[in-house]
Amino acid sequence: MHVAIIMDGNGRWAKERGLPRIEGHRRGAMKVEDVTEWSADLGIRYLTLYAFSTENWKRPWDEVSFLFNLFVEFMKKKIRKMKREGVRVRVIGRKEKLPDEVVNIWEWAEEETKSNDKIDLIIALNYGGRYEILDAVRKISSENITEIDEDTFRSYLYAPDVPDPDIVIRTSGEMRISNFLLWQIAYSELFFLKKYWPDFNREDLERVIDEFRKRHRRFGGI
Ligand code: IPE
Ligand code: IPE
Ligand code: MG
């Protein structure tokens, strides 16, 4: 099973408490470790977390650089434990424009954990669904490939071996996709939670999975 989460609402979580937005991001980042553990416990094989979109560059540089620092700090602090616990860390997105330190730690984290297979923790960083599709198209055309079907196309995505998400969760009450995994979510079951990301808990995840099990996925059939 693959669960993908749009971790939204950090800023509003902080604002409601009279705190700076970055405090919300700090709390949000702390949830990443928890949600990885809960997911592994629940037998989820792939967990994708949307951490920074290609559109998030529109935010003030202070906030953007804080988010990159959080990513770097998270990797530095958690990678050893994740390595021990069977977590394979992967990052999807564009390396272009990211600070060197971010790209270095991204590559290091992937290398360190590449032989783990309990759960794949896939962080979407500087990720945009349209860019992912465009990057695939560019590569395909540079290789002069003319015969192209769904399977060939898929093999040019950032993480081709990862099955499509069964579940997409978005916190914060917004009901949109915001350029997340556009190709892969064609038949995903969507769940929109009112809570802000820093308040997301294990019960929320379990409830979504219970509800998912009751849904009837038809994939176009009857
Ligand atoms: C989600 O929280 C985290 C990122 C987009 C990096 P937001 O920062 O979008 O929080 P809100 O939506 O402003 O409350
Ligand atoms: C989506 O949240 C991106 C991430 C959670 C990383 P945003 O807060 O950027 O989305 P919009 O702007 O509300 O659509
Ligand atoms: Mg938001």
Side-chain angles (χ1 to χ4, degrees):
M1 174 141 76
H2 180 180
V3 175
I5 307 183
I6 302 172
M7 310 183 287
D8 195 20
N10 293 348
R12 279 164 283 170
W13 181 92
K15 196 177 172 207
E16 278 187 3
R17 286 160 183 79
L19 298 167
R21 291 178 54 85
I22 56 168
E23 205 44 53
H25 292 315
R26 209 194 306 274
R27 293 293 291 258
M30 287 163 64
K31 280 282 147 167
V32 170
E33 186 180 11
D34 297 337
V35 81
T36 307
E37 273 179 35
W38 306 331
S39 299
D41 272 4
L42 295 167
I44 293 164
R45 179 64 186 78
Y46 300 91
L47 174 68
T48 301
L49 301 178
Y50 203 5
F52 189 86
S53 77
T54 47
E55 287 68 39
N56 288 144
W57 291 97
K58 292 176 191 159
R59 299 183 180 203
W61 174 245
D62 278 5
E63 179 167 340
V64 170
S65 65
F66 187 86
L67 288 167
F68 293 153
N69 275 332
L70 268 181
F71 173 81
V72 170
E73 289 307 311
F74 176 84
M75 291 302 173
K76 277 189 190 157
K77 280 194 203 125
K78 305 295 178 190
I79 217 75
R80 276 176 59 200
K81 183 165 176 245
M82 290 197 286
K83 192 174 175 178
R84 246 189 352 255
E85 290 176 353
V87 181
R88 178 177 175 192
V89 177
R90 309 169 69 168
V91 185
I92 53 169
R94 288 195 140 186
K95 286 179 179 165
E96 289 85 351
K97 287 209 292 181
L98 288 175
D100 289 346
E101 197 191 5
V102 172
V103 176
N104 292 342
I105 208 122
W106 155 343
E107 290 171 352
W108 172 76
E110 288 188 333
E111 184 61 31
E112 278 296 293
T113 61
K114 68 178 180 203
S115 39
N116 280 347
D117 60 5
K118 184 168 172 60
I119 183 170
D120 281 26
L121 169 63
I122 304 156
I123 311 270
L125 186 78
N126 196 18
Y127 175 89
R130 288 184 175 175
Y131 271 118
E132 182 178 27
I133 291 169
L134 278 174
D135 282 344
V137 170
R138 288 197 186 110
K139 244 178 137 203
I140 290 165
S141 58
S142 75
E143 292 175 18
N144 295 315
I145 290 161
T146 48
E147 286 291 316
I148 176 118
D149 57 16
E150 272 192 30
D151 288 336
T152 3
F153 187 82
R154 183 185 292 276
S155 72
Y156 285 87
L157 296 175
Y158 295 147
D161 57 301
V162 175
D164 289 343
D166 302 287
I167 292 174
V168 175
I169 301 172
R170 181 173 188 142
T171 56
S172 92
E174 306 297 350
M175 290 194 261
R176 56 176 170 263
I177 291 301
S178 302
N179 207 9
F180 190 42
L181 302 177
L182 296 181
W183 170 277
Q184 297 90 334
I185 63 172
Y187 275 101
S188 302
E189 295 292 327
L190 308 179
F191 294 84
F192 296 100
L193 275 58
K194 290 239 163 65
K195 276 190 179 179
Y196 298 138
W197 174 249
D199 291 326
F200 186 81
N201 62 34
R202 184 175 175 131
E203 222 189 355
D204 296 320
L205 181 63
E206 287 179 358
R207 230 180 285 135
V208 164
I209 290 164
D210 285 347
E211 163 80 25
F212 169 79
R213 295 222 162 90
K214 290 184 205 135
R215 290 195 189 176
H216 180 201
R217 302 178 85 188
R218 278 182 286 274
F219 300 101
I222 52 172

